[in-house]
Every structure is written in C-alpha cells, then in structure tokens.
DNA sequence: ACCTGAACACCGTTCAAGT
DNA sequence: ACCTGAACACCGTTCAAGT
C-alpha cells in the first residue's frame, strides 16, 4: 500500500504542523515525538520525514507556528497609547509564557542537532519581536535607534530570564504575582524616569 | 553473574556521578543517557537504577555536582572589595555559562517527570547562589535586606536571560562581547548611581 | 545485598517496495 | 510521486535470577 493522495503535499504539511502544534501543547517538548504526531494525523512516521526531511526542520515548522500566533497576538492586543507599550509588552511576554508554557518553552528547548545553523527563514520570526519592543522603547531613549535596539534587547532578555526562572520554580518566590512584580521593578529601573536613557550609548 | 562488591555503594555513587558529570560535559543534556553513563563506568544500566532509584534523582545528583563546583568557584574567586562584587558576580555568571555550557544548561533543561517536586536536598543548592548576590547588592540598597533580596533576584534572572539567549544565538547580536556589554548596561541601570535603590521597596 | 541480562515499550532514521 | 512497513540502533524502566 501507499499513495493515498487524499491531500496535496502542502495540505499534508499543514496537517502535520497543526498536529505537531497540538502535541507540543499537550506533551511538551520533552514528550514530543515524530511518531506521536504521525499517529495523531493517521499516517506513518516516514511521512513526516518525507514532508520535512528531518526532525529538526519539522520542529522548526511547529515552533514557527507558535511564533506566528504569538506575534499576531502581541500586535493585535497592543494598546494605542505609546507610553503604555513597554509595560504592555513586558507583562504580555510573561502572560504568554504562563498561559502557553509548553509551546513557549519549546522555542528555547529545541537545539539543532550537531549544532547545525538555524535555517534563514526561521531566524526572522524570532527577531521581529525585537522590532515591537524597539518601537515601544524608542521614546524613552530620545528616539535614538541604536540605544533603542540596545535597551530593547536588554529588556527582552531580562523579561525572558524572569519568566524562565519563575515558571521553572527556580526563584524561591512566595505568593502569586511575584514574577509580575519583578517585571515592574525592571520597568522602573529601565524606563522609570523620563528619558533616563538619553546618552545611554555614550557612557 | 552479579555481586562484584569491588566498591561500597557510596563509592559507586561517586563513580556514577563523576561519569555522569563527564558525560554531561561531553554530550550535553540532550545526549545524556543512563545507558551511556553505565557503559562509561563499566556497569549495566540496572546499576544506575539500583543506586539512585530513578533517572530524575540521578540527573539531580549530577546537576548538584555542577552547582557545588560552581558555587565553590564563585566564592573562591570573588574579589574582596565590596564595590566590585555586583559586577564580578554578573560577569562571572556569563563567563561560567560560556565556559561550561553543557553542564550549565543542563541545570535548566532538566524537568522532573510528571511535574514531580524537586527533592528538599536539591533546592538549596540553587538558592544559596542568591545569598552571594544579596550580599553584593546590599550596599546599593541602603542595607535593606528586603530590597536586597528583591534586587538580587531581579539581577540574577536578568543575567540568566542575557546568558541564555545570547549563548543560544537568539539575540541577533553582532561581534564578540555583546552579551558582556548587555550585562554592563544592566549593572548601570540597576546599580549605576549610588544608592539609587533606597526606597526601592516603597514605590 | 549487589549486579546482571533480558524483556518491554518506546524513540529517530532510513529505505526498498508497493500503488 | 507518495506513502508504507520493516529494519536498525538507540532509549528508559523493570525485575527475575545468579552470586
């Protein structure tokens, strides 16, 4: 047996990605498997390899789906008032990580085998997140693009660290909202005064 | 066959942990396996289970070894001048993560299966790192212990995020020393002025 | 009591062979 | 061209049986 041809290759890829996306949510990165996804779609493992070449590429496609939905979410719910943007993005990052822990952490748990480079089409999906934050941060650094890029990455990385350690229970924090308060502290430090970061780049 | 009795149980545990520690360095968390460690020690897989009960406990023991050596390292190399401590610990964190990436990242890649709680003896090995940073941060918050604990966790998490994303190549940074500069920026924000954080807790 | 060997239920990966 | 089924080399986990 073989050759069902019930779907085009493109349709089948979409079905696989959706099934993979669901399995990531249900089982997490460590419980994710090509065989499991294949079973979920009613096909054989070989089909996954036929469609994507290798497991890395498949996982990248699943993670790309996460990044697309996440980005969409961030953009569509962003407030219009510029002065609220930094606070919004920072808290929104933590909220997303909390609400969709498995699919979010898969983004960072996945490693290319043999340290192969990430394909060119994938990297921008991660990087374009910076553009949002850069824009949000811009008014706080006197509209200096270089300072904005630099502060945006610092804040992104810091919020990421807070989210990671907090959700992994590695911060010894007591009570709900502790991580949220840390983010508030970070915002206060980074963007608390008005235009504290003019000259950020010249120190 | 069985019962070699060449070593006591304690000795065998030590041998297993050392072999596991080495394998973590060589293969990384994702390439780590009980079977591989057993082969490395010249025993069967069953022995690992006999010694530690389950794989989680074994990995925890290996990671504990990392935390012990790391802590030792931090303490022994810390500068004596109090005003250099924050800068030292922040950069030292990144330097350790960079130099021992596999064993360091294993600390954060490991998850208990079925979301079992981390055993009581393990948690403090992670948490005592905070004590160092709390002490370092203390003079910057007017010797307020609560503010120190809060700022220490914020800095720890932020430096962790910078290290994670930077070493994973997810920060789109060009040139060497970019992560180091981010840490300098963080320090400038958090601890740059003198005693900026008096009243940190009362906002 | 300590350790082995084998078994079981899973993986990722490859590929000849069917339609 | 598409997809299967089977094979291979790995896993984690358990446990009866040897010393």
């Amino acid at each position: 047996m073989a050759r069902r041809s019930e779907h085009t290759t493109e349709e089948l890829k979409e079905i696989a990605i959706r099934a993979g996306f669901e399995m990531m949510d249900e089982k997490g990165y460590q419980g994710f498997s090509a065989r499991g996804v294949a079973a979920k779609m009613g096909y054989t493992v070989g089909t996954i390899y036929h469609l994507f070449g290798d497991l890395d590429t498949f996982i990248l496609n699943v993670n790309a789906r996460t990044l697309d939905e996440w980005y969409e979410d961030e953009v569509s719910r962003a407030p219009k008032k510029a002065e609220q943007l930094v606070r919004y993005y920072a808290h929104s990052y933590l909220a997303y990580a909390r609400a969709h822990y498995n699919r979010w952490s898969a983004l960072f748990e996945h490693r290319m085998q043999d340290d192969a480079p990430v394909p060119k089409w994938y990297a921008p999906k991660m990087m374009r997140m910076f553009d949002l934050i850069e824009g949000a941060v811009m008014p706080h650094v006197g509209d200096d693009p270089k300072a904005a890029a630099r502060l945006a990455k610092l804040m992104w990385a810091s919020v990421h660290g807070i989210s990671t350690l907090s959700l992994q229970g590695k911060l010894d924090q007591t009570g709900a909202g502790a991580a949220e308060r840390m983010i508030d502290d970070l915002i206060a430090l980074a963007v608390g005064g008005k235009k504290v970061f003019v000259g950020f780049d010249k120190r």
Side-chain angles (χ1 to χ4, degrees), chain A:
Chain A
M1 52 194 71
R3 179 159 221 183
R4 302 201 210 155
S5 298
E6 294 164 355
H7 301 96
T8 65
T9 300
E10 272 333 289
E11 284 172 341
L12 224 44
K13 278 191 179 181
E14 181 59 25
I15 291 170
I17 291 171
R18 285 237 69 90
F21 190 69
E22 282 171 25
M23 194 182 185
M24 203 64 97
D25 268 357
E26 291 163 12
K27 308 273 186 178
Y29 180 75
Q30 318 230 358
F32 183 91
S33 77
R35 291 184 119 105
V37 174
K40 209 178 181 68
M41 19 176 335
Y43 280 75
T44 334
V45 218
T47 302
I48 302 284
Y49 284 82
H50 176 247
L51 290 170
F52 296 97
D54 55 49
L55 191 62
D56 266 349
T57 306
F58 180 49
I59 293 177
L60 247 21
N61 272 274
V62 173
N63 281 348
R65 178 61 48 100
T66 296
L67 287 169
D68 286 345
E69 291 206 7
W70 189 11
Y71 185 80
E72 183 85 18
D73 204 59
E74 293 296 336
V75 171
S76 69
R77 292 191 4 221
K80 278 158 199 162
K81 300 198 178 179
E83 63 269 24
Q84 298 176 356
L85 271 177
V86 172
R87 168 167 249 94
Y88 164 76
Y89 283 127
H91 282 284
S92 185
Y93 188 103
L94 173 61
Y96 186 88
R98 204 193 281 288
H100 307 287
Y101 184 69
N102 281 345
R103 73 170 83 147
W104 168 78
S105 59
L107 259 23
F108 305 98
E109 287 190 77
H110 175 61
R111 302 230 194 304
M112 291 284 153
Q113 64 180 15
D114 305 321
D115 286 310
V118 168
K120 274 201 301 289
W121 63 267
Y122 181 80
K125 289 185 182 290
M126 190 98 242
M127 300 311 174
R128 73 186 158 174
M129 293 287 198
F130 292 133
D131 299 340
L132 297 178
I133 306 171
E134 272 183 39
V137 140
M138 198 65 87
H140 298 277
V141 292
D143 292 318
D144 176 352
K146 285 200 175 184
R150 200 160 148 186
L151 184 56
K153 275 170 194 170
L154 178 57
M155 290 208 66
W156 165 275
S158 297
V159 169
H160 176 77
I162 293 167
S163 303
T164 310
L165 293 183
S166 171
L167 295 174
Q168 281 186 17
K170 291 199 161 73
L171 274 179
D172 197 22
Q173 44 192 8
T174 50
E180 279 77 3
R181 201 181 62 167
M182 290 179 74
I183 289 180
D184 284 336
D185 285 345
L186 175 71
I187 294 172
L189 291 183
V191 133
K194 60 171 200 176
K195 306 207 174 173
V196 233
F197 294 94
V198 182
F200 185 65
D201 217 353
K202 287 118 193 163
R203 190 179 8 86

